[in-house]
Amino acid sequence: MQGFGVDIGGSGIKGCVVDLDKGELVGERVRIPTPQPALPEPVYGVVADIVGQFGWEGRIGVTYPGVMKSGVAFTAANMDASWISTDVASGLAAVIPGTVQTLNDADAAGLAEMAYGAGRGQRGLVLMLTFGTGIGSALFIDGQLVPNTELGHIEVDGKDGEVRASAAVREREDLSYPDWAKRVDRYLDTLERGLWPDLIIVGGGVSKKAHKWVPLLSTRTRVVPAELQNDAGIVGAALAAEQRIGQ
């Protein structure tokens, strides 16, 4: 069984056909830089371009980096403010053949990891965190998604957690992995004051270098890298479309 997923990010938009039996991309994904400024119409155009390159006309899952409810965006922390209150599902449906299913990008990544990756078969409270332009979060209780948990925006030392500990901050400030790990550790410590997860899965591009920073963390919760790494959003989007999961 195959599906199609597109993952909209603050810096890039990625899409590919997905093997839903294995949770793997079919062939090479297409990645196009996110238009700047990241206005809705140009982004819709990029998504349509990616879908068109594969000739896909069936159900399609599309992630958005913010709170999504009934296809409408409610936040835009790393996108243009014009996204807020925009009906993303309708906007995409107007330029893409087939049925569009929208959901939060971190929720999609979490769905993929719970179905095929590091969270497979895990019960209890599982927290997925994606480190990229910001910090996305997905929370699961006994495998069931609690949608739109914006835990990247919890306050850490007077600032949003992602302002100090995102992967983009590490690159922008040219932090070494040990120095960045200290910031991540502080962020996770703040999270653990309010949550008692049974497992934390860390994803995003930095999951490829997990050996450089995950062992330096001092969390009480076990932390493991995402197995699908930076493809989790695409896979989760396709899975959400097939299973009609999303907002």
Side-chain angles (χ1 to χ4, degrees), residues 197-241:
D198 296 290
L199 179 69
I200 296 175
I201 304 169
V202 291
V206 289
S207 60
K208 298 177 182 177
K209 301 288 183 68
H211 63 283
K212 292 187 175 183
W213 59 279
V214 169
L216 303 177
L217 302 177
S218 63
T219 55
R220 63 171 177 252
T221 308
R222 184 165 65 98
V223 180
V224 298
E227 293 181 10
L228 281 73
Q229 297 184 352
N230 221 19
D231 292 336
I234 297 174
V235 173
L239 180 64

Side-chain angles (χ1 to χ4, degrees), residues 33-49:
T34 303
Q36 299 300 326
L39 301 171
E41 293 301 328
V43 169
Y44 297 160
V46 171
V47 175
D49 182 11

